[in-house]
Amino acid sequence: MEVEKPGSKGQAWFCATGLPSDIVIEVEDMTFHLHKFPLMSKSRKLHQLITEQETDPTTSTTQREDEEERDEIEEIICQISLLDFPGGSESFEMAAKFCYGVKVDLNSSIIAPLRCAGEFLDMTEEYSEDNLISRTERFFSQSVLRSLKESIKALKSCERVMPLAESLGITERCIDSIASRASSVDPALFGWPVSEAANENNFRARSNQALWKEIESTVRRKGSGAKSNNADSWFEDLTLLSLQLFKRLILAMKMGDLNPEIVESCLMNYAKKHIPGLSRSNRKPSSSSSSSSVASEGEQREVLETIVSNLPLQKSSRSSTTTRFLFGLLRTANILNAAEECRSTLEKKIGLQLEQATLDDLLIPSYSYLNETLYDVDCLERILGHFLDGLEEERNGGEIEAGGDGGGGNVRPPTLMVVGKLIDGYLAEIGSDANLKSDRFYNLAISLPEQARLFDDGLYRAVDVYLKSHPWTSEAEREKICGIMDCQKLTIEACTHAAQNERLPLRAVVQVLFFEQIQLRHAITGTLIAAGADSARPSLLRRRAEEEEEEIEAEEGATQECNSNAWRGAARENQVLRLDMDSMRTRVHQLERECSNMKKVIEKIDKECPRQNNGGWRGSLTRRFGCKFKTQVCDSHEQTAVNARKGRQPHHLHQQ
């Protein structure tokens, strides 16, 4: 029906009906050559404009030309220019087709601009039956608003006609529809259609049937992989919205008590779409994306602050995925120099789920010129503080629910143990930084409570790495740093390694040797007692059995000779048991004397042999006791050592 060809200002649109055009309407850079009657029959506004031009002698054109010119040039009665037409030339073209009676295929992407075009042209039901406004309103209510994905597409199309779409309530109705229908979405079925009319049972049944038919056809066509499901997810449609519309939509979702996981997923997808470099594994822009499509630094900062301000405050239940995403936001916030409130909110939310993080997440680079260290240690200290505060609140809440008895400080929460191992790994990682001061290392190491570490092997490894990377550290600072370790919580492997570690101060090595001997003593004593008990138990059992047999024999009238023989056997066994106990007591006393002698020898060596004698005191130990130490790798959380003792010895050896 239409023909387009280049015009003086752009393109020209002709209605190919065989009749000459009698009106020209300009919309943006497009010129439409149309006829008055179809337009005036549907649009009150065009009827008024055409009538005004025909009655106005200054604007009406009565061209008097020669007869030959009239045959060649069509006579143009009026010319109208429609400024600021909603939706531009595309919307006017569809409205013009509607006036000519051409069938227009309505869909969610054009319904909002077409509805605004009908409002602009005043194409009401009162002016003409079954007009454009009523047609678009019916399709909008019955088709678009009943579908989640279609409502999102319609909301996206409102951006082109925002002032008029807002006044007509199109934007608000789309947002309400999305928020209400997103609340009924099962997070396990992201991207699949939603039931359309929750209040109508019949329609719901039909929708469920259509749902499963579409699911089956999708599985047959694309397979059941997660990749195809993600491609069809309505979360991807939300990322196409402008930031202003997205903010309004998220606010409506939160006010409607939507599942926090759905809100969080919407925010995560939108951030990944508009903020490049959130993931360390994918920081390079794709070759297909042009540089013009990348948002500016100011736009990225605005998106990031919007995302952070709308994140749910409660702890996420989506394992480590959300935590990794939050760390990516925090690194980006530091790069973009986001507001202090934004970064503080991220640190607090990360702290609430720190046990889900990995060591790679904790390694946040330091972007400030004021920090000399490679990684931002101050940031991690704040995050750890938020974690400990949250743990304290949980414990206090548990004590209140339990009636004031929360078990005290002896309980080891699993999350605290996980974070303890995580911090030990972080200390070992940053310990190799030559610019890291000893006070920073010390303060971070002691920030965790005692219950965070079952063994201190990981802490010993971090101390060893720090001393190796800082050979200029003074003796006093070395002793202070080694003081963060509890030698009683070192495993046998860690003690063996520390005993020959040249980087440790002498006092720390003596403590290690002392507590290592105590561990060996307890281990040997426990073994002997267990062995003695095992050997004594059969004798006692036999004795009791024989006594019972004697009683039975006595009751049955057994002879006195048999009874005397049984008693003599029991007496012999009692003597053997007494001898075994005396032998075991003697061996324990011998071990105690050996430990006392070793302690005296170590104290004597500590006084006589200087530290700078190139490790001479260690050679003396080897010669005296005939023991050689072998380096082994140890882990603070491997259950390979002797179990912890009931009573805890002091951290430092007090010399008498």
Side-chain angles (χ1 to χ4, degrees):
M1 172 182 174
E2 69 277 2
V3 179
E4 296 183 7
K5 64 180 182 180
S8 59
K9 296 183 179 180
Q11 298 230 339
W13 192 92
F14 293 83
C15 183
T17 59
L19 299 175
S21 302
D22 54 5
I23 182 174
V24 174
I25 299 179
E26 294 182 0
V27 180
E28 292 182 342
D29 59 346
M30 182 74 73
T31 303
F32 293 88
H33 297 261
L34 305 172
H35 304 86
K36 296 179 183 179
F37 178 74
L39 301 178
M40 296 175 67
S41 64
K42 290 293 186 180
S43 172
R44 179 182 283 112
K45 183 178 182 64
L46 291 178
H47 184 277
Q48 293 175 354
L49 293 176
I50 294 172
T51 304
E52 289 175 0
Q53 286 203 6
E54 288 179 347
T55 57
D56 190 353
T58 60
T59 57
S60 62
T61 60
T62 55
Q63 298 179 358
R64 295 186 176 90
E65 298 177 337
D66 298 335
E67 294 295 331
E68 61 275 7
E69 292 178 349
R70 291 181 182 178
D71 295 336
E72 297 175 0
I73 303 176
E74 62 178 357
E75 184 180 4
I76 300 177
I77 301 301
C78 62
Q79 185 171 354
I80 299 174
S81 178
L82 299 179
L83 302 177
D84 299 328
F85 190 83
S89 58
E90 295 180 0
S91 299
F92 182 80
E93 180 181 344
M94 290 184 291
K97 290 181 179 180
F98 180 82
C99 293
Y100 277 90
V102 179
K103 182 180 179 181
V104 179
D105 294 330
L106 300 178
N107 57 67
S108 57
S109 299
I110 66 172
I111 192 64
L114 197 56
R115 170 64 179 87
C116 293
E119 187 71 22
F120 185 88
L121 296 174
D122 201 5
M123 303 174 68
T124 61
E125 192 73 13
E126 293 79 7
Y127 185 76
S128 177
E129 185 178 356
D130 198 18
N131 214 341
L132 184 59
I133 292 180
S134 61
R135 186 80 64 86
T136 53
E137 277 289 345
R138 186 163 55 250
F139 180 83
F140 183 68
S141 302
Q142 297 180 358
S143 300
V144 176
L145 296 182
R146 288 184 174 181
S147 172
L148 178 60
K149 292 176 68 68
E150 300 302 319
S151 297
I152 297 174
K153 293 179 181 179
L155 181 60
K156 171 63 179 176
S157 67
C158 290
E159 297 176 1
R160 296 185 294 164
V161 290
M162 195 56 196
L164 188 54
E166 186 69 32
S167 62
L168 295 176
I170 301 176
T171 306
E172 191 68 25
R173 284 186 288 174
C174 289
I175 291 176
D176 293 341
S177 173
I178 297 170
S180 61
R181 299 195 176 280
S183 61
S184 61
V185 173
D186 185 357
L189 301 178
F190 284 159
W192 288 0
V194 187
S195 178
E196 295 297 342
N199 298 327
E200 301 177 6
N201 295 331
N202 294 334
F203 189 83
R204 179 184 302 176
R206 291 195 301 269
S207 299
N208 288 335
Q209 293 176 1
L211 166 66
W212 289 110
K213 287 181 180 179
E214 184 170 348
I215 291 173
E216 292 174 357
S217 63
T218 302
V219 171
R220 288 194 302 267
R221 184 173 62 253
K222 297 183 179 180
S224 58
K227 185 176 181 180
S228 62
N229 289 336
N230 292 334
D232 295 333
S233 174
W234 56 274
F235 290 116
E236 296 297 329
D237 296 332
L238 288 181
T239 61
L240 302 178
L241 296 176
S242 64
L243 182 60
Q244 298 302 322
L245 287 179
F246 183 75
K247 289 168 62 176
R248 292 179 56 183
L249 177 59
I250 293 297
L251 181 60
M253 288 181 172
K254 296 173 68 176
M255 293 179 62
D257 294 332
L258 192 64
N259 188 345
E261 290 187 7
I262 298 180
V263 177
E264 197 170 54
S265 298
C266 295
L267 295 170
M268 289 176 61
N269 280 272
Y270 195 87
K272 292 176 181 178
K273 177 73 173 181
H274 296 274
I275 304 177
L278 283 181
S279 175
R280 284 182 169 178
S281 60
N282 187 19
R283 290 191 173 183
K284 294 183 180 181
S286 58
S287 57
S288 59
S289 61
S290 59
S291 59
S292 60
S293 62
V294 179
S296 63
E297 182 176 327
E299 293 173 344
Q300 293 182 31
R301 186 186 304 111
E302 184 180 4
V303 171
L304 187 142
E305 293 177 353
T306 301
I307 297 297
V308 173
S309 62
N310 288 281
L311 283 172
L313 298 179
Q314 57 268 34
K315 181 178 178 179
S316 176
S317 59
R318 300 180 58 187
S319 68
S320 61
T321 304
T322 305
T323 306
R324 189 178 302 111
F325 167 75
L326 293 175
F327 272 103
L329 285 180
L330 183 57
R331 287 191 296 268
T332 307
N334 293 332
I335 296 174
L336 298 177
N337 195 20
E340 185 66 27
E341 182 181 0
C342 173
R343 285 179 281 183
S344 183
T345 303
L346 280 173
E347 292 173 357
K348 183 175 182 180
K349 186 167 177 61
I350 291 173
L352 296 178
Q353 51 197 57
L354 184 59
E355 72 278 3
Q356 299 176 358
T358 61
L359 179 58
D360 184 65
D361 295 331
L362 301 185
L363 299 177
I364 304 174
S366 179
Y367 298 101
S368 175
Y369 294 102
L370 301 177
N371 294 333
E372 298 179 353
T373 56
L374 179 61
Y375 299 109
D376 196 344
V377 182
D378 294 333
C379 178
L380 184 65
E381 288 181 345
R382 293 191 296 267
I383 292 175
L384 183 59
H386 291 307
F387 169 77
L388 296 176
D389 293 342
L391 204 64
E392 185 69 21
E393 292 178 0
E394 291 181 1
R395 187 175 66 178
N396 293 337
E399 291 178 357
I400 294 175
E401 294 178 359
D405 186 9
N410 295 327
V411 180
R412 298 180 185 269
T415 56
L416 183 61
M417 299 284 290
V418 173
V419 172
K421 185 175 182 179
L422 198 62
I423 296 301
D424 288 348
Y426 181 80
L427 287 170
E429 192 70 27
I430 67 174
S432 58
D433 188 355
N435 294 324
L436 181 64
K437 304 299 182 183
S438 60
D439 292 338
R440 304 285 299 279
F441 183 88
Y442 177 82
N443 293 332
L444 181 59
I446 65 174
S447 59
L448 282 173
E450 178 186 354
Q451 294 82 4
R453 300 179 178 96
L454 183 61
F455 298 105
D456 276 6
D457 290 21
L459 195 57
Y460 164 69
R461 176 175 176 269
V463 170
D464 186 39
V465 170
Y466 183 84
L467 295 179
K468 181 179 180 180
S469 303
H470 300 75
W472 56 84
T473 306
S474 63
E475 189 72 15
E477 290 179 344
R478 288 174 179 265
E479 292 186 358
K480 179 181 178 181
I481 292 175
C482 292
I484 65 179
M485 297 185 302
D486 185 0
C487 295
Q488 297 183 82
K489 296 170 68 175
L490 293 178
T491 61
I492 297 296
E493 291 82 0
C495 289
T496 304
H497 186 279
Q500 60 177 357
N501 194 339
E502 297 287 343
R503 291 181 288 272
L504 295 182
L506 180 61
R507 184 181 183 85
V509 176
V510 171
Q511 291 179 22
V512 170
L513 291 173
F514 177 75
F515 288 115
E516 182 183 17
Q517 294 304 317
I518 292 180
Q519 284 186 356
L520 291 174
R521 173 188 172 186
H522 282 281
I524 295 173
T525 303
T527 303
L528 292 177
I529 292 175
D534 292 339
S535 61
R537 190 176 295 109
S539 299
L540 293 175
L541 293 175
R542 286 195 302 271
R543 180 180 178 182
R544 291 177 182 177
E546 291 176 356
E547 288 177 353
E548 292 177 356
E549 291 177 356
E550 290 175 0
E551 292 177 358
I552 295 174
E553 291 176 355
E555 292 176 356
E556 294 178 351
T559 61
Q560 184 178 2
E561 184 178 358
C562 293
N563 291 334
S564 61
N565 291 335
W567 280 107
R568 282 195 297 271
R572 284 195 299 270
E573 291 182 359
N574 191 15
Q575 292 177 357
V576 172
L577 177 62
R578 188 180 295 109
L579 291 175
D580 291 340
M581 295 296 295
D582 292 340
S583 176
M584 182 173 60
R585 189 181 297 109
T586 302
R587 294 178 64 183
V588 171
H589 289 324
Q590 290 177 354
L591 289 173
E592 290 179 349
R593 286 195 298 271
E594 291 178 1
C595 182
S596 178
N597 293 334
M598 182 177 292
K599 178 180 177 183
K600 292 178 181 180
V601 171
I602 292 175
E603 292 177 353
K604 183 177 180 181
I605 293 174
D606 191 12
K607 294 178 181 179
E608 295 178 357
C609 298
R611 171 64 177 171
Q612 60 271 18
N613 193 16
N614 197 17
W617 62 275
R618 286 189 173 83
S620 177
L621 283 179
T622 304
R623 292 191 301 271
R624 287 175 181 267
F625 300 105
C627 57
K628 294 184 179 181
F629 300 104
K630 181 180 179 181
T631 304
Q632 298 184 24
V633 180
C634 50
D635 188 357
S636 64
H637 292 267
E638 292 291 340
Q639 299 287 345
T640 58
V642 181
N643 292 332
R645 295 162 301 286
K646 295 182 179 178
R648 182 179 176 184
Q649 299 295 333
H651 288 200
H652 301 284
L653 174 63
H654 298 283
Q655 299 181 3
Q656 297 180 355

